[in-house]
Amino acid sequence: PSCGRLIGFENDKVQLLRKASQDLRVTPWLPLGSKGRLANIDWEVIGFMQRSSHGDGALYTWSEYLLFNAKDGFAWLTEYQGHWNFACTMSRPPSVARGQYSFWHGKGLYKLFSSSKAEVTYVVGEFYWRVKVGDTCLVEDYILPPQMLSREVSANEATWSDSAYLEPEDLCAAFKTDMTPPARIGIFANQPNPLVETHKKVFRLYWVMLLVATLLQLAFFFMLSSSTVLRQQFVMSEFNAEGALASREFVLGRHTQALRLKHTTDIENNWVGITSTLVEKNTGEAYQGAQEIGFYHGVDEGERWSEGARDDAIVFKDIPAGTYYLNLEFELGPDGRMVRNYAIVDTVELTRNPVGWSNYALVLVLLTAFPLISRWRRNAFEARRWEESDLVGEDAGSAEDDE
């Protein structure tokens, strides 16, 4: 780095090859001679170079540090916009065609992330081949975060390297430096998605909470001893001048927390107003509720439509034990008066301590929202990753399967 000369060492002889033609001067973040421990191996930084590639009218520049260990040979540290990778040359590279979209290796599917022509723009230090500014090669990166397999194809050879994403704090600890590493910008090709594990935890918790909610619902269903105490049909007709009906008597053997009254009618394009009074035979104590049921349907410009419903329900709370009957007062809507002998049939059903499923359904909706939001956040991270890929627009960034 001091004299800017390219020196060759061959057969224990030192040869001055030429002056390195480099217009810029770059200071490596890790100085040459730095020592650190990665993958349980002690390494020394002996070389540094910068390479760049062009894509979509932009210039992309990254740094590569050559590491050496007398026993284990060479390895690489690469850095791009604050993202680091530890890479080793593969002795058994995969058999992959040029430009192949994806391939299986080990236990995972690697997908092509980028393919570009890389050019050396700066170099300093010692290398195991003659490298100079202007050297070019084709680089293809296949990712399965946090792993990345890269192929470099030059005029003379093709080599594969296996890279593992390295967190900046782990790099600083490995080289025992308190220097502040370059700030991370964006999301790198094989940067681990921090939301993957979070999503898995949320998904597992979702199944646990769903099981708990289901068990509680079933417990309420069996413990409350829901039962039908009255089921009777009534005819509500224009001939009933008083508009009043009474049910047969029924007995509530013990205190009832809830008593659901449901009206199911066969009403058509009309409405009926019903006032229901629950009366205790011996004490005369009464409980009253009012409902309006209406149902309309038809065809408009060839399309069928409907509005309202033929049934409705209300609930009486805290009903003491006793003998009861039900008084019904009704008022038919005006549309029924135009039909001769108009009447509707109303099926009345009283259910003691009914188990409501609406709350259970609401709990399910709320519970389901959490994994859906978590999945969306996880996939958003992946979408941002693949925005930097050569394969934008293809189904390359699909997220991992839920567990």
Side-chain angles (χ1 to χ4, degrees), residues 234 236 243-245 261-267 271-277 288-294 310-314 316 326-333 344-348:
F234 297 89
M236 298 179 179
L245 299 166
L261 168 61
K262 183 177 182 180
H263 293 275
T264 304
T265 71
D266 61 354
I267 196 167
W271 61 267
V272 59
I274 305 174
T275 299
S276 306
T277 305
Q288 192 175 77
Q291 299 161 268
E292 184 175 298
I293 301 173
R310 292 189 175 96
D311 56 23
D312 191 38
I314 58 174
F316 298 109
L326 193 65
N327 282 335
L328 302 179
E329 297 177 1
F330 66 90
E331 178 185 1
L332 295 175
I344 64 171
V345 177
D346 179 19
T347 301
V348 172

Side-chain angles (χ1 to χ4, degrees), residues 359-376:
N359 289 338
Y360 176 68
L362 179 61
V363 169
L364 294 188
V365 171
L366 293 176
L367 286 178
T368 304
F370 288 98
L372 289 179
I373 293 173
S374 175
R375 182 186 182 91
W376 174 82

Side-chain angles (χ1 to χ4, degrees), residues 153-358:
V153 181
S154 64
N156 301 320
E157 63 177 350
T159 60
W160 282 85
S161 60
D162 186 353
S163 302
Y165 191 85
L166 188 63
E167 296 292 341
E169 55 270 21
D170 295 334
L171 173 71
C172 293
F175 282 85
K176 297 180 180 179
T177 177
D178 55 2
M179 295 187 300
T180 302
R184 285 195 288 193
I185 301 175
I187 298 173
F188 192 61
N190 65 326
Q191 181 179 355
N193 187 335
L195 299 173
V196 168
E197 288 302 320
T198 300
H199 178 67
K200 290 180 179 179
K201 292 178 181 178
V202 170
F203 211 73
R204 287 193 289 265
L205 181 60
Y206 164 74
W207 288 113
V208 172
M209 297 303 294
L210 180 61
L211 177 61
V212 171
T214 302
L215 291 177
L216 286 176
Q217 180 69 12
L218 293 176
F220 283 124
F221 180 79
F222 291 108
M223 290 175 60
L224 292 179
S225 301
S226 176
S227 61
T228 300
V229 296
L230 174 69
R231 181 181 178 85
Q232 187 174 345
Q233 282 190 340
F234 297 89
V235 176
M236 298 179 179
S237 168
E238 60 177 334
F239 296 111
N240 190 329
E242 296 181 354
L245 299 166
S247 75
R248 62 176 178 266
E249 296 178 359
F250 60 93
V251 176
L252 295 178
R254 59 180 181 275
H255 182 275
T256 300
Q257 294 180 349
L259 187 65
R260 183 181 64 195
L261 168 61
K262 183 177 182 180
H263 293 275
T264 304
T265 71
D266 61 354
I267 196 167
E268 292 279 347
N269 290 318
N270 201 358
W271 61 267
V272 59
I274 305 174
T275 299
S276 306
T277 305
L278 181 65
V279 182
E280 208 287 319
K281 176 182 176 181
N282 299 313
T283 65
E285 187 175 0
Y287 306 85
Q288 192 175 77
Q291 299 161 268
E292 184 175 298
I293 301 173
F295 179 73
Y296 298 84
H297 65 94
V299 178
D300 186 8
E301 296 182 356
E303 293 187 3
R304 293 186 176 275
W305 61 271
S306 63
E307 180 181 356
R310 292 189 175 96
D311 56 23
D312 191 38
I314 58 174
V315 176
F316 298 109
K317 298 287 188 179
D318 296 323
I319 308 300
T323 301
Y324 290 84
Y325 61 91
L326 193 65
N327 282 335
L328 302 179
E329 297 177 1
F330 66 90
E331 178 185 1
L332 295 175
D335 294 335
R337 298 170 187 169
M338 296 183 293
V339 181
R340 189 175 181 181
N341 299 328
Y342 180 76
I344 64 171
V345 177
D346 179 19
T347 301
V348 172
E349 186 175 46
L350 279 168
T351 304
R352 179 181 178 275
N353 292 333
V355 177
W357 292 90
S358 58

